[in-house]
């Protein structure tokens, strides 16, 4: 007689924000450009942007996902997000990148955490459109269990 092991008891997929995406300090010139933070927290720039090594620490976002091993999860989100400045101006974040594919299979045990790191691109205009200030907002990701 042969028998098959019972499947694991399903658990709800839980996601916790462990770290927020932070583009750090920079200044812009006449034409603006982009500040890019990859999932590993490395920062680069394009255009007329000067990266500064002061103020807040540059970081990718980190989400801790808890689910049964082998759970298929898809990450969904809008194409871009608006951040509001303390000065009344706005900037956009787009091109989110991940340390895993947007659809991935959890590998950590159900009592362990799958760490998902997320980077993105901050699009800034020149000083006429994006004056100095602190910019913040919400980037909403949806983790869909398949």
């Amino acid at each position: 007689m042969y028998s098959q092991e019972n499947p694991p008891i399903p658990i709800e997929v839980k996601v916790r924000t462990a770290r927020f995406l932070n583009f750090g300090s920079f200044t812009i010139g006449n034409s603006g450009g982009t500040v890019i933070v990859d999932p590993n927290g490395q920062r680069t720039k394009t255009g007329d942007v000067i990266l500064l090594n002061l103020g807040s620490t540059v970081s990718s976002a980190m989400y801790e996902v808890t689910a049964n091993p082998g759970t298929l999860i898809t990450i969904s989100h809008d194409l871009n997000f608006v951040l509001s400045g303390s000065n009344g101006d706005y900037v956009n974040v787009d091109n989110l990148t991940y340390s895993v594919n947007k659809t991935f299979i959890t590998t950590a045990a159900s009592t362990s955490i799958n760490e998902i790191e997320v980077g993105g691109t901050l699009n800034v205009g020149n000083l006429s459109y994006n004056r100095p200030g602190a910019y913040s907002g919400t980037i909403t990701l949806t983790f869909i269990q398949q």
Side-chain angles (χ1 to χ4, degrees), residues 21-29 31-37 43-58 83 85 87 90-93 120-127 129-136:
L21 179 59
N22 191 325
F23 293 94
S25 298
F26 57 90
T27 187
I28 52 179
S31 61
T34 64
V35 178
I36 303 154
V37 174
R43 180 173 68 159
T44 57
K45 58 105 176 173
T46 65
D48 198 8
V49 173
I50 300 165
L51 302 176
L52 304 174
N53 291 319
L54 53 93
S56 58
T57 303
V58 174
L83 306 183
N87 52 24
Y90 299 93
V91 294
N92 287 313
V93 174
T121 300
L122 179 70
N123 302 283
V124 293
N126 63 32
L127 285 173
Y129 293 103
N130 294 127
R131 295 170 291 170
Y135 289 79
S136 62

Side-chain angles (χ1 to χ4, degrees), residues 65-146:
V65 179
T66 305
N68 282 331
T71 301
L72 183 64
I73 296 176
T74 299
I75 304 170
S76 177
H77 57 78
D78 291 337
L79 293 178
N80 64 47
F81 304 91
V82 176
L83 306 183
S84 303
S86 56
N87 52 24
D89 295 341
Y90 299 93
V91 294
N92 287 313
V93 174
D94 61 13
N95 296 321
L96 297 186
T97 55
Y98 304 91
S99 59
V100 297
N101 292 325
K102 280 184 76 173
T103 297
F104 66 98
I105 297 173
T106 58
T107 56
S110 60
T111 56
S112 298
I113 294 168
N114 298 270
E115 293 180 345
I116 311 300
E117 294 177 297
V118 181
T121 300
L122 179 70
N123 302 283
V124 293
N126 63 32
L127 285 173
S128 298
Y129 293 103
N130 294 127
R131 295 170 291 170
Y135 289 79
S136 62
T138 301
I139 295 175
T140 302
L141 304 179
T142 304
F143 290 77
I144 303 165
Q145 178 180 352
Q146 304 291 317

